[in-house]
Amino acid sequence: MTPIVNDPVREVRSLHRFEYVRNRPPTYAERALVYLTSGGRPHTYLPHHQPTRGELVSKNFRTLYEVDMGIQHMSLMHRLPSEGDASFFSAETDLTWRVTDPTAIVEKQVRDVRALIEPRMLTRMRRESRRYAIEHSASAESAVMDALAAEPLAAAEGLEITCEVRLSLDEEAMSQLASLRNIGYTKDRTRSEHELTRLRTRNDQEVMEEKTNFYSALLSQGEMGRWGAHLAQNPADIPLAISSIRDDEREASGNQIRLIEKLLDSGVVEDHMVEETARAALEGVKARLADAGRGRTRKQPIYREQLERAPLEKDADADGSGEHE
């Protein structure tokens, strides 16, 4: 594996005064030659422009720097803090650099590109990553990329640098985020289950209320409210309810008859004090009680007919008595 080269200066040589009188310096397609005079003044010759033999002799060059102007690559790994510095992003940076000004490289004595630009990169990257929560790694990645591209990292030192950054979560952050997501899922599931239970309870109450109203309307006599609520939960007890209602009706009718007969037997109410209408009503109650005993319940229109027929029978008896006399 080829080692990563961080030094843009490939070779530095001291020169003798007449070193290039007979031999010219080596030429390279990707290297610039930067000569320093005895006074330290640089003279730069790019790969496509080499010095003449006269220049080499007359300008009294003392030092030669061979500066590589080819494209170089570098990969860096960093941990960037997230919002609140509670968790960290893992940042993998693919960096490309090349020399654009060989003279600046020599004058500023740039011999390690990574040592030069890494602190500047981290300052920008951390400033941006701290603005984002750990779960927003995509947004943080875009912000970091924009910050690195906003201004050149080392233009003053004669370097052109481009960066591609990929952010991910480190193991600790991934574990923490997974725990938070599980908590969130549990909360959502609990809320959904609670809402479902509440809706089921409300539905059961509405169904119960509808059944209660239905059976109360169906059995609209006596203690129908109680029977309606009972039948809403136990529809199979309808025969029992009907039987109980009939028993209650028979008992009530029997009590009425016994009370009237008791009053007549005691002499408190004389026979002539009981009007024909009352007698007809008594007969109707007896007939109803008899029907109920045989499992039938006579309806009200028969009772009204008896009431209407009683005065007519009384008038007929009175007419018959008069003719007889």
Side-chain angles (χ1 to χ4, degrees):
M1 180 177 179
T2 303
I4 296 175
V5 179
N6 297 324
D7 189 353
V9 178
R10 293 293 180 259
E11 188 173 354
V12 181
R13 287 189 294 160
S14 298
L15 302 177
H16 301 292
R17 181 174 178 81
F18 300 105
E19 183 170 348
Y20 293 121
V21 171
R22 294 182 180 180
N23 301 317
R24 294 179 61 83
T27 59
Y28 303 93
E30 75 284 358
R31 294 187 186 181
L33 303 179
V34 180
Y35 293 92
L36 294 183
T37 65
S38 57
R41 183 179 178 183
H43 290 262
T44 301
Y45 297 90
L46 297 178
H48 59 275
H49 183 206
Q50 295 298 316
T52 65
R53 185 174 284 105
E55 291 176 327
L56 293 174
V57 174
S58 63
K59 292 186 178 180
N60 194 23
F61 295 142
R62 289 290 181 263
T63 307
L64 171 61
Y65 288 82
E66 297 181 10
V67 181
D68 194 334
M69 298 189 69
I71 296 175
Q72 308 296 331
H73 300 280
M74 189 186 309
S75 293
L76 304 175
M77 294 293 297
H78 301 103
R79 294 178 76 235
L80 303 180
S82 63
E83 184 180 34
D85 290 354
S87 303
F88 291 85
F89 299 108
S90 291
E92 182 179 356
T93 305
D94 290 332
L95 186 146
T96 301
W97 62 271
R98 71 182 186 90
V99 174
T100 57
D101 187 350
T103 304
I105 293 292
V106 173
E107 290 181 336
K108 296 182 179 297
Q109 289 297 296
V110 177
R111 301 304 301 270
D112 190 337
V113 174
R114 176 172 181 171
L116 173 69
I117 66 174
E118 190 171 28
R120 302 176 184 180
M121 288 177 54
L122 285 175
T123 298
R124 297 187 191 182
M125 295 168 72
R126 288 171 176 164
R127 182 173 60 240
E128 292 300 321
S129 67
R130 281 194 173 97
R131 297 173 50 227
Y132 295 90
I134 191 64
E135 60 268 23
H136 299 154
S137 59
S139 299
E141 180 179 284
S142 297
V144 168
M145 289 277 293
D146 292 341
L148 291 177
E151 295 181 15
L153 286 168
E157 287 80 8
L159 293 170
E160 180 184 80
I161 298 170
T162 58
C163 302
E164 291 290 336
V165 181
R166 293 181 298 276
L167 289 191
S168 59
L169 307 184
D170 62 11
E171 293 184 2
E172 182 180 353
M174 291 179 65
S175 176
Q176 179 181 356
L177 187 58
S179 298
L180 292 176
R181 285 177 176 173
N182 288 335
I183 293 173
Y185 293 152
T186 302
K187 287 182 178 179
D188 292 340
R189 185 174 63 253
T190 302
R191 257 193 305 269
S192 299
E193 291 176 353
H194 174 73
E195 181 67 17
L196 180 59
T197 301
R198 189 177 65 83
L199 291 175
R200 285 176 176 172
T201 301
R202 178 185 296 177
N203 182 68
D204 292 344
Q205 291 174 346
E206 291 177 353
V207 171
M208 179 68 67
E209 184 178 353
E210 290 177 359
K211 288 183 178 180
T212 300
N213 293 337
F214 172 76
Y215 286 110
S216 296
L218 182 64
L219 305 173
S220 58
Q221 299 178 4
E223 299 179 353
M224 294 303 106
R226 177 175 59 82
W227 277 113
H230 177 77
L231 293 176
Q233 298 180 354
N234 305 280
D237 289 346
I238 290 180
L240 176 62
I242 295 174
S243 175
S244 177
I245 291 171
R246 286 177 176 174
D247 291 342
D248 291 343
E249 290 181 346
R250 284 197 297 268
E251 183 177 357
S253 299
N255 290 336
Q256 293 175 1
I257 293 172
R258 284 191 292 272
L259 176 60
I260 294 173
E261 290 178 343
K262 186 175 181 180
L263 291 175
L264 292 174
D265 294 341
S266 65
V268 175
V269 179
E270 300 296 338
D271 289 343
H272 67 276
M273 297 174 62
V274 180
E275 297 182 357
E276 293 300 326
T277 300
R279 291 183 182 279
L282 180 59
E283 292 300 326
V285 172
K286 288 182 177 181
R288 184 181 177 190
L289 183 60
D291 289 342
R294 290 190 294 272
R296 299 194 305 272
T297 301
R298 302 182 65 180
K299 297 183 179 180
Q300 290 298 111
I302 298 177
Y303 177 72
R304 288 198 299 271
E305 292 173 359
Q306 291 176 344
L307 292 179
E308 293 173 355
R309 189 169 62 249
L312 296 177
E313 292 176 353
K314 181 178 180 181
D315 293 341
D317 292 342
D319 293 341
S321 301
E323 291 177 359
H324 179 72
E325 290 176 355

